[in-house]
Amino acid sequence: MVHRGGDNLSNRTLRMRIDGGGALLEPWLDELYKIGAEPGGGAYRPLYGTAWAEAGDCVERWMKKAGLETRRDAVGNLWGRLDGTEKGKVIVTGSHIDTVRHGGRLDGALGIVAGLTATEALMKARGKPKRSLDVVAICEEEGSRFPTNFWGSRAIVGSIGKDEADTIVDPNGVTIAQAMRERGLDPAKIGSAARDDIDAFVELHIEQGAVLETTRQPLAVVSAIAGGVHLEIVVTGRADHAGTTPMDLRHDALVGASVMIQAIESITRAIGAPAVATVGRIRAEPDQINVVPGRVVFTVDLRHSDPGARRALEERTRSLCRTIAAERGLELEVRVLQERPPVPMHAEVRAVLTRAAQECGVRATELVSGAGHDAQILAARCKVGMLFVPSVGGRSHCPEEHTDPGHLELGARVLVRTLELLAY
Ligand code: HGY
Ligand code: MN
Ligand code: MN
């Protein structure tokens, strides 16, 4: 797949397009970050929402201005095409355009903006590629509006369940199908978004952790994406009067859930890195100050790079919750919302990324991604590879998300060279 040769793009050209001072990388990231800006900081661009639509229109204008042929597929993935001179499978770069609540400036956006900047730089310096190059703004990855995620990449690999659009609802009871129709998309056509003509997908992304920063490395080629499971835990006790119910007669679902959450954190710490456990969402019913909570629903996100260890962590979590529920006279129900196995990145793409980094003067380290990414889904249909740049303080999924401009520029340069090796 890799074309030998392919003379390196001149640094001058690249510098003009990518580094600070008027190039497009930073100003475009700033412009995109303003879309969906939230009071209290960060941006929120939930799937099929107003900010999501505005961001897609903005990126589509940039794509057109860069001379790419644009199209939207049936679920709203935005594709910018640079046609190649030869027939055959396509090289794709990009990332997701949606964000978490109070999301940062770079998660997803960097991959889209750097992919577009890189493609434009290559087009200006090298003209048409041999193989067609697509830049994609994937419509949804985070699961921040609907209780499902990877909507865009699952559509591309054809793995969206036939009932999902009509049965999955957001907190306001709006189905994905209704939300699609509000955006002029037809849920009946979801299947048409599937593609089998992609040879390789390459994504530039922030690490969202602190490994690169603490080991003082400017770049990593991702070796694999850790596996994870999302559980929904329902604890049912008994709602009672807060004033008249003695403590020893209570079946308080919220206290029970809090003991479980504490225990989950303790066993995960005991197992040690890279095991991680997160309770990101909790709801107590009837959620009233003077009523002992009768029911609590909370989510658990469990991850580990080793599948066996991840399953063991899940088993420990389940048995701890069962024991605590029994001790407190509570009922317990554990639902699996989603389970994702660890996914290795493709050796050929890793080799091209490593070579491109070397040619840009950097020896890229290798890293397992604790965060999930579209590449773990697209791997079902094509070769995938990812490049990480450091996150300052390891922070992400928050307004503090930041990467030094020099690291952003280096990442974009390596992406340019990678695409040049793959497509020219
Ligand atoms: O949850 C994740 O790891 C990704 O950021 N969606
Ligand atoms: Mn994210
Ligand atoms: Mn992301």
Side-chain angles (χ1 to χ4, degrees):
M1 167 185 61
V2 174
H3 290 276
R4 298 287 155 229
D7 59 318
N8 198 340
L9 202 54
S10 82
N11 271 334
R12 192 185 53 74
T13 313
L14 267 178
R15 191 158 291 286
M16 212 166 58
R17 304 301 311 167
I18 281 178
D19 63 6
L24 293 174
L25 198 63
E26 296 281 355
W28 275 1
L29 287 169
D30 293 340
E31 193 174 335
L32 203 46
Y33 196 37
K34 287 184 197 125
I35 302 175
E38 289 195 287
Y44 183 42
R45 296 194 292 266
L47 179 62
Y48 302 135
T50 313
W52 173 89
E54 200 189 315
D57 293 346
C58 172
V59 172
E60 183 163 28
R61 282 194 301 276
W62 294 341
M63 286 180 169
K64 286 186 171 154
K65 201 154 155 265
L68 303 186
E69 196 67 34
T70 63
R71 73 176 179 90
R72 312 262 179 140
D73 68 18
V75 292
N77 292 317
L78 168 61
W79 299 90
R81 161 64 59 97
L82 173 57
D83 272 329
T85 53
E86 293 173 5
K87 293 267 167 273
K89 289 201 168 188
V90 179
I91 304 297
V92 177
T93 188
S95 191
H96 57 94
I97 199 163
D98 70 316
T99 70
V100 293
R101 293 174 189 284
H102 300 291
R105 172 177 174 262
L106 301 168
D107 180 7
L110 174 62
I112 295 170
V113 170
L116 183 48
T117 310
T119 303
E120 197 194 5
L122 282 166
M123 193 162 46
K124 290 210 174 348
R126 298 287 312 277
K128 274 186 172 289
K130 285 198 187 103
R131 318 179 80 181
S132 296
L133 250 175
D134 274 355
V135 181
V136 62
I138 296 174
C139 66
E140 190 280 343
E141 186 266 354
E142 297 287 6
S144 46
R145 174 178 179 183
F146 296 97
T148 183
N149 57 5
F150 299 120
W151 185 250
S153 44
R154 289 196 297 121
I156 295 167
V157 301
S159 68
I160 286 183
K162 69 178 179 32
D163 304 329
E164 285 191 68
D166 290 316
T167 54
I168 295 176
V169 291
D170 73 3
N172 302 318
V174 178
T175 65
I176 298 182
Q178 285 164 320
M180 287 180 72
R181 289 189 196 98
E182 281 163 21
R183 287 290 158 213
L185 298 167
D186 179 358
K189 296 198 174 115
I190 287 174
S192 69
R195 291 187 60 173
D196 56 11
D197 64 337
I198 300 173
D199 179 46
F201 170 72
V202 182
E203 182 175 7
L204 173 63
H205 205 285
I206 48 174
E207 178 200 342
Q208 301 181 293
V211 173
L212 288 178
E213 184 180 63
T214 44
T215 57
R216 305 175 68 74
Q217 319 238 22
L219 212 60
V221 172
V222 175
S223 52
I225 296 174
V229 65
H230 285 174
L231 303 176
E232 182 178 73
I233 298 188
V234 183
V235 182
T236 307
R238 199 181 65 194
D240 274 316
H241 194 294
T244 57
T245 313
M247 294 308 283
D248 59 348
L249 295 184
R250 293 182 179 207
H251 299 278
D252 186 325
L254 185 49
V255 172
S258 57
V259 175
M260 291 174 194
I261 294 168
Q262 197 83 48
I264 292 167
E265 199 234 12
S266 309
I267 47 162
T268 309
R269 280 178 181 278
I271 292 170
V276 284
T278 311
V279 174
R281 193 178 284 161
I282 186 164
R283 191 181 68 243
E285 294 164 5
D287 192 21
Q288 199 157 335
I289 192 165
N290 59 352
V291 181
V292 175
R295 186 172 183 272
V296 166
V297 184
F298 66 92
T299 60
V300 188
D301 174 317
L302 298 170
R303 303 194 198 191
H304 198 294
S305 49
D306 173 276
R310 214 269 309 133
R311 275 192 298 276
L313 175 57
E314 180 184 344
E315 212 13 72
R316 298 277 303 277
T317 297
R318 287 171 178 270
S319 71
L320 263 172
C321 291
R322 278 194 300 269
T323 307
I324 293 163
E327 285 164 356
R328 291 173 166 269
L330 301 168
E331 278 163 43
L332 180 79
E333 191 192 341
V334 180
R335 298 179 195 139
V336 177
L337 298 178
Q338 79 167 17
E339 185 166 7
R340 304 256 182 241
V343 176
M345 297 295 99
H346 196 283
E348 280 178 36
V349 185
R350 286 167 57 184
V352 175
L353 286 163
T354 305
R355 175 182 162 189
Q358 264 155 2
E359 291 178 4
C360 292
V362 174
R363 209 175 64 72
T365 187
E366 290 238 325
L367 199 58
V368 171
S369 171
H373 297 285
D374 291 306
Q376 72 190 87
I377 303 297
L378 296 174
R381 283 270 178 115
C382 67
K383 299 164 191 162
V384 296
M386 290 192 74
L387 204 53
F388 275 176
V389 288
S391 293
V392 171
R395 301 296 305 279
S396 180
H397 279 188
C398 58
E400 293 76 16
E401 186 177 277
H402 181 67
T403 295
D404 294 343
H407 287 147
L408 292 180
E409 183 201 327
L410 174 64
R413 285 178 185 294
V414 174
L415 182 66
V416 171
R417 185 58 183 141
T418 301
L419 296 176
E420 190 178 19
L421 288 168
L422 291 172
Y424 281 79

